[in-house]
Amino acid sequence: MKNQPLSATSDVASAREHLGQDFQSLVSHAEELLQATTTLSGETVDLARRKLTDSLQQVKAQALPLRDAAIERSKLAADAAIVYAREKPWQTAAIVVLAALAIGFISNIGRSEK
C-alpha cells in the first residue's frame, strides 16, 4: 500500500510529458521555418538562417540533458512528497491548510488595496 502512486503523480508525469512535447514541437517548427526560407535569397537571409540553425543545434544539445535532469529531480521530489504525505498525514494536512490560509490572506489583501 505504501508504494501506490497518488493521482498527483500522474498529473506531474502528464505535465512533464506535455512540456517535452511542447519543446519538441518548438524545435520542429523552427526546423520547418528554416526549410520554408530556403527559397529566399540574399546575404542577410542566409546569415539569419545560419545563425538560427546554429542556435537551434546548440539549444538541442544543451536542453536535452537539462530536461532529463529536471525530469529526474521532479520525479524524486514527487516521490519524496508522496512518502512524506503517507508517513505524516496530519502534518501534511496542516501544511495544506496553512498554505490555503496564506493564499487566501494574500489574495484578500490584494482585493482590499484596490
Side-chain angles (χ1 to χ4, degrees):
M1 177 105 185
K2 281 201 171 214
N3 291 329
Q4 292 177 348
L6 297 176
S7 64
T9 303
S10 63
D11 292 343
V12 171
S14 176
R16 283 191 304 248
E17 184 175 322
H18 286 299
L19 180 62
Q21 290 171 353
D22 289 345
F23 177 76
Q24 293 292 44
S25 178
L26 174 66
V27 170
S28 175
H29 289 144
E31 289 173 340
E32 288 174 15
L33 178 63
L34 284 172
Q35 289 297 323
T37 61
T38 57
T39 59
L40 299 175
S41 62
E43 191 174 311
T44 305
V45 173
D46 291 339
L47 178 62
R49 193 179 303 118
R50 279 195 301 270
K51 285 183 178 180
L52 180 58
T53 301
D54 292 344
S55 296
L56 192 55
Q57 288 173 349
Q58 287 176 353
V59 166
K60 282 182 181 179
Q62 292 173 356
L64 292 177
L66 293 175
R67 184 195 68 180
D68 293 343
I71 288 171
E72 186 60 32
R73 283 193 308 265
S74 65
K75 284 180 185 178
L76 292 173
D79 291 343
I82 290 168
V83 168
Y84 182 85
R86 287 196 175 130
E87 290 177 354
K88 300 180 180 185
W90 289 106
Q91 289 89 339
T92 303
I95 290 169
V96 170
V97 168
L98 289 173
L101 288 172
I103 291 169
F105 180 72
I106 291 169
S107 67
N108 193 26
I109 289 173
R111 286 189 208 143
S112 65
E113 289 180 357
K114 289 183 179 180

